[in-house]
């Protein structure tokens, strides 16, 4: 794997969105705009930390997850990748940063196995980023619940609960 720059000044309460595709500036700006809107039934403030550095261009989900684990260790990171820029609707890739070796138990039925039961990543609408991040941050829900909802969607996208 290549060496990627660290993620500086990422607050624990901010959803981490990393841009990995640099072929569509208008698409990126549309994603940033949508992620900046208030969200939820109470119109919560949008808290997002954007990483917009070409050094991350074409980084894979595994490379990104490995790099963010070495920093402030968020449980999920969102990638604005090539699919994000080309899809309609624009969807981000939600990737768990949890590793098997991070768990207290490393058995097949342990925390990692539960977290990744429906995969290590899934697609979400920009509006889902906040719901996912907020619920994971306060341990209200698990990554696997969102991944399952995406899996159950006919298009494989988490839309909302």
């Amino acid at each position: 794997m290549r060496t990627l720059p660290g993620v500086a000044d990422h607050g624990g309460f901010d959803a981490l969105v990393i841009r990995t595709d640099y072929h569509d500036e208008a698409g990126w700006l549309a994603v940033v705009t949508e992620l900046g809107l208030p969200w939820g039934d109470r119109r919560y403030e949008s808290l997002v930390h954007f990483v917009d550095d070409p050094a991350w261009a074409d980084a894979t989900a595994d490379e990104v997850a490995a790099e963010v684990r070495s920093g402030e260790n968020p449980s999920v990171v969102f990638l604005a990748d090539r699919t994000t820029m080309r899809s309609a609707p624009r969807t981000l890739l939600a990737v768990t940063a949890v590793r098997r070796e991070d768990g207290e138990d490393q058995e097949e039925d342990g925390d990692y196995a539960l977290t990744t039961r429906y995969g290590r990543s899934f697609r979400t609408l920009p509006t889902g980023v906040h719901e996912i991040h907020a619920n994971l941050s306060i341990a209200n829900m698990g990554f696997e619940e969102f991944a399952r909802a995406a899996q159950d969607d006919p298009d494989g996208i988490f839309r909302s609960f």
Side-chain angles (χ1 to χ4, degrees), residues 10 12 14 25-26 29 34 46 48-49 54 56 70 76 94 99 104 118 120-122 135 141 154 161:
H10 170 248
D14 298 346
E25 192 65 26
L29 293 175
E34 191 164 353
S46 169
V48 181
H49 179 84
W56 292 85
S70 69
V76 64
R99 298 179 298 184
E104 292 178 18
Y118 301 100
R120 291 184 51 239
S121 64
F122 60 89
N135 280 286
M141 297 178 75
F161 284 117

Side-chain angles (χ1 to χ4, degrees), residues 89-111:
R90 295 190 191 281
T91 60
L92 291 100
L93 185 65
V95 180
T96 183
V98 174
R99 298 179 298 184
R100 180 180 305 277
E101 54 270 23
D102 291 338
E104 292 178 18
D105 56 45
Q106 297 181 17
E107 299 172 15
E108 288 186 28
D109 61 347
D111 293 338

Side-chain angles (χ1 to χ4, degrees), residues 20-28 30-31 58 79-92 123 157:
T20 63
D21 181 85
Y22 286 82
H23 294 96
D24 184 352
E25 192 65 26
W28 168 245
V31 169
D58 300 319
L79 276 60
D81 59 5
R82 184 160 293 185
T83 300
T84 305
M85 302 309 171
R86 294 182 178 177
S87 65
R90 295 190 191 281
T91 60
L92 291 100
R123 292 260 158 216
I157 299 169

